[in-house]
Amino acid sequence: MESDEFKANHPLLENPEGFSPLYNLLTNSKVSLVYNASQLNPFNSSYFVWIDAGYGHGDSSIYPSDNQWFPSNLISQLHKVTFMTFYENVTKSKHCQTPFKSPNVCIIGGFFGGGTMALQKFYNVYQDTFIEGLRSHVVDDDQTYVMLSALKQPMLFNFVKGVWYDAFKLFH
C-alpha cells in the first residue's frame, strides 16, 4: 500500500481501504467468520447474519424501537446471500463492473445474511476471488470482493436496493 503503483490514480487514499492493511484484513474476514459460525452452528440455525459492530455509527433511531427484530422476509431467502446495494440490478450497473480503486460504492458491506448452504457457496467463490486478487498483487475491502463474486455467480445473490443503514427498515 506504500508503493507508488498502489497509490497511482487511487481516489480513496483518505479512506481506510486506501491506507490500512489491517482494515482490509479485518473487512475481508467477515465472510470467513460468518461461514465458520454457520459450520459450527451451536444453535442449529438455518440462517446467519453479519452486522458490523459499528453499524449505524451510534444512531439508535435505525434500530427497532422495541429492540425486537424478526427479518422473516430475509430468512425466506435461504438459497441466496442477501446484501444491500445502492443500485438496481447491481451486477449489470456500469458503475460496478470494475470495483477496484473505484469511488463508486455498489455493495453495502455492513450487513449481509444467508442460509447455511448459500453461505458455503458464497464463502468458496469469495475466497477464490480474494486469492485471485492477492495473486495479482491487488487488495481492497470486502465490498469490492463481494461485487467481484457477484459478477462471477449472480444467481447466488439477493440484492436489495437501500442505503447504508437500512437493514432494519428493509428486512422486518
Side-chain angles (χ1 to χ4, degrees), residues 4-170:
D4 291 337
E5 180 184 10
F6 180 84
K7 293 177 182 179
N9 302 313
H10 198 313
L12 302 174
L13 291 176
E14 301 299 317
N15 295 14
E17 61 269 26
F19 66 80
S20 175
L22 291 177
Y23 175 83
N24 288 315
L25 178 65
L26 181 62
T27 62
N28 282 293
S29 297
K30 295 176 190 180
V31 175
S32 295
L33 291 168
V34 173
Y35 169 72
N36 288 339
S38 76
Q39 296 303 293
L40 293 171
N41 203 353
F43 302 107
N44 198 28
S45 300
S46 58
Y47 201 90
F48 291 81
V49 173
W50 173 274
I51 300 175
D52 278 358
Y55 194 79
H57 292 262
D59 180 1
S60 62
S61 71
I62 69 164
Y63 300 102
S65 58
D66 63 358
N67 295 319
Q68 301 292 313
W69 184 56
F70 186 75
S72 57
N73 62 334
L74 181 63
I75 293 171
S76 66
Q77 296 282 329
L78 285 175
H79 61 290
K80 295 191 176 213
V81 177
T82 297
F83 277 89
M84 293 184 302
T85 178
F86 287 107
Y87 297 95
E88 296 285 343
N89 205 357
V90 69
T91 57
K92 304 239 186 278
S93 171
K94 65 179 179 166
H95 300 290
C96 302
Q97 299 302 305
T98 54
F100 282 117
K101 292 186 178 182
S102 175
N104 297 315
V105 176
C106 298
I107 302 295
I108 299 169
F111 171 90
F112 69 91
T116 53
M117 294 303 293
L119 287 169
Q120 182 173 5
K121 292 175 185 173
F122 175 47
Y123 170 80
N124 290 334
V125 70
Y126 187 92
Q127 290 297 80
D128 289 347
T129 304
F130 184 71
I131 297 298
E132 286 172 18
L134 292 178
R135 286 186 176 139
S136 299
H137 306 285
V138 177
V139 67
D140 209 331
D141 67 9
D142 59 311
Q143 295 165 161
T144 295
Y145 290 106
V146 170
M147 188 66 235
L148 292 170
S149 298
L151 291 170
K152 288 181 179 182
Q153 291 192 17
M155 298 306 292
L156 179 58
F157 295 87
N158 174 41
F159 291 114
V160 178
K161 190 173 185 296
V163 295
W164 285 112
Y165 307 117
D166 272 357
F168 297 103
K169 180 171 74 175
L170 293 172

